[in-house]
Amino acid sequence: MRERASGISRRLLTGDRLFRTGALGITALVLFIFVAFPIAAILREGLVLADGTWGLGNFIDYFRDPRFLTITGRSLLIAVSATVITVVLAYGFAYALVRTQIPLKNLWRFTALLPVFAPSLVQALGVQFLLGRNGLVSNLLGIRLDIYGFWGILISDIVYAFPHAVLIMVTALSVTDGRLYEAGRMLGASEFRLFRTITLPASRYGVMSAAFVVFTIVITDFGNAMVIGGDYSVLATEIYNQVSGQANFRLGAVIGIILLIPAALAMFVERLVARRNTALVNERSSPLVLRKSVPRDICALVYAVLVCALILLIVGIVVLASFVKLWPYDVSLTLKHYVTDVQNGYAPLWTSLWMSLIAAVLGTALVVLNAYMIEKISNPFTRVLYFLSVLPAAVPGMVLGLGYIMAFNDPANPIYWLYGTVWFLALNTIFHYHAQAFLIATTNIKQISSTFDEASAMLGATFLRTMARIALPLLLPSLLTIGLFLFMRAMVTLSAVIFLVSPRNTVAAVSVLLLDDSGKASQAAAFSVVIMAVVLAASAGFNLLLGIPLARRHAGASP
């Protein structure tokens, strides 16, 4: 009997080791194929010279051309300007949400997040409808504004990056120790001095993180610059022009590597800053009690209303333009723009839906498997896998998409059969946003106490059983969150897939760009509205599902 039990135990241990090895092998294989290989392909294309030797000659030729120097300078100017303005605006908005007693906070928060639900080029469309040559302002006031170029891109990028900065700032301002403020007030400090000496220093790491995130978003943005940039080329649009317009993959790779450098530096500095951040709250901390201040709250409410009004104006005018006959000359209502006369009609929308569902389901499974294996198996090899997991955060979407062309558009490649399919687009999207989803999963896995693993092991449970019966049920809300995140990003993604779409498989965001490029701005607006409606509906549905496991958990915990 003992021998039989011992044999079963050995088989279980052997199976457990096989599962760990296999799961870790899948994690490594997937990350090396879909992250390391495309980036290596970009680097190789940029560093290999025309005669087949390796060197920096391509970069030297690039920087010798005054035009390319100008383009690089423009990108940096827009990125720095948008970062400074966005961070200041977002800090004030987050402060109004967290540190004041203004009414309707959920409404202002939802309005601020509206740009997240739309493709990046929607902001440029809104600015174009509002301030362009045939915009509302030009026709009502008779003022001709030259919005195409620097100012148009800047305004669009600020609106596009604003919600990302707000989310970080809200988190930074929500964590504080109320005892510091009580001590300051007892010493006679004014509210402004409390802000200057406590609030601002305590939130500096949040400000830095927001600045790095906004800088990366802006310098790599393609959609807004493409729609409203005009002749004002930036690095992202130049990659597209070189690759799609002139099939100059080598120069595209050079520009991609140049674009990769500031994004990678921003991520590296952000991680360095995050490590130096110290805990602001401990077991002795007390929550901050907001004191009523009518002047402060009135100013905060006015500021929140103005910011939300600007966002609603830019997004709302896109919605309005989709329903009028001829913007802005004939504003009678019509649905004709929702009947697209472009090739394939609404087929790109169904392609985006299918791709987004694949990204949500497959991406969640891959991300959670990667995060769980890397977190639970600590060795030098998994540290390399961790680096590959967060590396996509430093890789602009267009650079990754270009890397996918160079890496997989080869009949000799074993997975060439996937190239050009919806599954290939979904995989590209998954690994474009892998870092953010991976960090969500890792954060939640770390919150599960190791005592569960220890108790499970003492009871003889295998690694797989512990994962299936303990970890995954506890991670269910996180799984739904990651699925929603990947679905939303896949529905609105543009830059990462712009090189990978084909006439047979075009996604909705690319169709919006093509419609606007062909002069059909109102149809582009209509298509954008449909995308936003789908994303908002999906968000509501996912949030409903997210509430179900939470409700069940609370019901199970109640006596």
Side-chain angles (χ1 to χ4, degrees), residues 265-480:
L265 285 175
M267 189 199 79
F268 174 76
V269 176
E270 192 273 335
R271 296 279 176 246
L272 192 63
V273 168
R275 285 178 193 161
R276 296 182 61 185
N277 193 6
T278 56
L280 299 174
V281 177
N282 54 43
E283 66 278 2
R284 298 180 181 177
S285 299
S286 62
L288 174 64
V289 178
L290 295 177
R291 294 192 173 187
K292 190 172 183 179
S293 173
V294 175
R296 179 203 66 194
D297 292 345
I298 290 176
C299 291
L301 181 61
V302 170
Y303 179 75
V305 169
L306 288 175
V307 170
C308 290
L310 177 61
I311 293 173
L312 281 176
L313 183 61
I314 291 177
V315 176
I317 204 168
V318 174
V319 178
L320 177 62
S322 71
F323 288 105
V324 301
K325 284 188 177 180
L326 183 62
W327 181 268
Y329 306 107
D330 184 355
V331 293
S332 54
L333 299 180
T334 181
L335 292 175
K336 71 173 187 177
H337 302 306
Y338 286 85
V339 182
T340 59
D341 55 5
V342 295
Q343 185 181 10
N344 298 328
Y346 276 106
L349 180 66
W350 305 120
T351 301
S352 284
L353 276 170
W354 178 227
M355 181 190 77
S356 300
L357 287 171
I358 295 172
V361 176
L362 178 62
T364 300
L366 288 174
V367 166
V368 173
L369 177 65
N370 293 351
Y372 195 81
M373 299 307 298
I374 292 171
E375 185 64 26
K376 296 299 181 181
I377 302 176
S378 180
N379 57 48
F381 182 62
T382 56
R383 284 194 284 273
V384 173
L385 297 183
Y386 181 91
F387 172 75
L388 290 178
S389 296
V390 299
L391 182 59
V395 182
M398 295 194 72
V399 178
L400 187 64
L402 186 58
Y404 270 53
I405 293 179
M406 296 174 179
F408 302 117
N409 189 16
D410 182 0
N413 192 291
I415 64 169
Y416 175 73
W417 57 276
L418 271 175
Y419 190 85
T421 66
V422 176
W423 287 85
F424 190 73
L425 296 176
L427 285 166
N428 172 263
T429 303
I430 289 168
F431 289 98
H432 179 204
Y433 298 106
H434 184 276
Q436 297 91 325
F438 174 82
L439 291 173
I440 293 172
T442 301
T443 301
N444 285 276
I445 290 170
K446 286 180 178 178
Q447 291 175 347
I448 300 175
S449 175
S450 59
T451 55
F452 287 105
D453 296 328
E454 295 168 2
S456 182
M458 289 177 64
L459 292 172
T462 62
F463 182 85
L464 175 59
R465 190 176 181 85
T466 303
M467 178 181 176
R469 299 295 296 273
I470 297 177
L472 290 182
L474 292 174
L475 290 172
L476 184 56
S478 299
L479 299 182
L480 294 174

Side-chain angles (χ1 to χ4, degrees), residues 457-510:
M458 289 177 64
L459 292 172
T462 62
F463 182 85
L464 175 59
R465 190 176 181 85
T466 303
M467 178 181 176
R469 299 295 296 273
I470 297 177
L472 290 182
L474 292 174
L475 290 172
L476 184 56
S478 299
L479 299 182
L480 294 174
T481 300
I482 293 169
L484 172 60
F485 170 76
L486 291 173
F487 182 91
M488 291 174 58
R489 292 293 88 200
M491 279 298 302
V492 302
T493 190
L494 176 63
S495 61
V497 298
I498 190 66
F499 293 131
L500 304 177
V501 295
S502 63
R504 184 166 57 92
N505 285 317
T506 298
V507 296
V510 174

Side-chain angles (χ1 to χ4, degrees), residues 62-82:
Y62 175 88
F63 284 109
R64 280 177 178 169
D65 191 329
R67 177 176 174 273
F68 291 133
L69 281 176
T70 301
I71 291 172
T72 304
R74 288 173 176 175
S75 294
L76 291 173
L77 177 62
I78 288 176
V80 172
S81 302

Side-chain angles (χ1 to χ4, degrees), residues 510-525:
V510 174
S511 289
V512 175
L513 179 65
L514 296 177
L515 284 167
D516 181 74
D517 193 50
S518 62
K520 299 176 181 178
S522 294
Q523 282 197 7

